[in-house]
Amino acid sequence: MPAGSSKKRERQYEHIKEGAQQRGESTKRAKEIAARTVNKERARAGESRTASKVSTEDRKSAPQRGGERSHRGAQGPTKDQLYAEAKKRNIEGRSGMNKDELRKALGR
């Protein structure tokens, strides 16, 4: 978190990071998602010194948007996300599977 962040933003960061990790994101990616989300919310609320036009004029906040613009659109979750879920479920042979095979093994 940037220096000088409020306790609320720190809690928000931790909450988003934990949620991303529970969805199977790596720790590094979870931190990135949380930081980007919190920074955008800070910009929208006027809590940051600089802000992009998109951050301040976007009609929906990041939590309201709920990942609409993430790379989960038409193709669904990435192979890495499917692999992480298969690992959690202990699906055998997952390391040799491609994205479609992982999807089928997970019942998607």
Side-chain angles (χ1 to χ4, degrees), residues 26-38:
S26 68
T27 302
K28 182 179 176 183
R29 179 73 176 134
K31 287 179 180 180
E32 180 183 356
I33 291 168
R36 286 175 184 238
T37 303
V38 171

Side-chain angles (χ1 to χ4, degrees), residues 62-102:
Q64 288 172 328
R65 200 169 49 252
E68 283 177 8
R69 297 184 198 149
S70 69
H71 298 284
R72 295 183 179 200
Q75 293 95 20
T78 65
K79 181 181 177 189
D80 291 338
Q81 291 168 331
L82 292 169
Y83 181 84
E85 188 176 340
K87 188 175 181 181
K88 280 184 187 176
R89 294 191 194 178
N90 257 349
I91 294 176
E92 289 190 28
R94 64 185 174 268
S95 61
M97 293 182 185
N98 62 30
K99 185 175 177 179
D100 286 334
E101 291 168 336
L102 284 167

Side-chain angles (χ1 to χ4, degrees), residues 1-19:
M1 285 297 307
S5 294
S6 67
K7 294 288 184 190
K8 174 185 176 181
R9 296 297 181 203
E10 289 177 16
R11 286 191 311 270
Q12 184 182 30
Y13 172 86
E14 288 300 321
H15 180 74
I16 294 167
K17 184 178 82 171
E18 289 170 8

Side-chain angles (χ1 to χ4, degrees), residues 35-62:
R36 286 175 184 238
T37 303
V38 171
N39 285 339
K40 183 159 187 172
E41 291 303 307
R42 289 179 65 229
R44 288 176 58 88
E47 298 170 11
S48 63
R49 282 183 262 163
T50 61
S52 69
K53 187 175 182 180
V54 173
S55 291
T56 55
E57 294 182 6
D58 200 4
R59 293 175 192 241
K60 288 184 181 179
S61 68

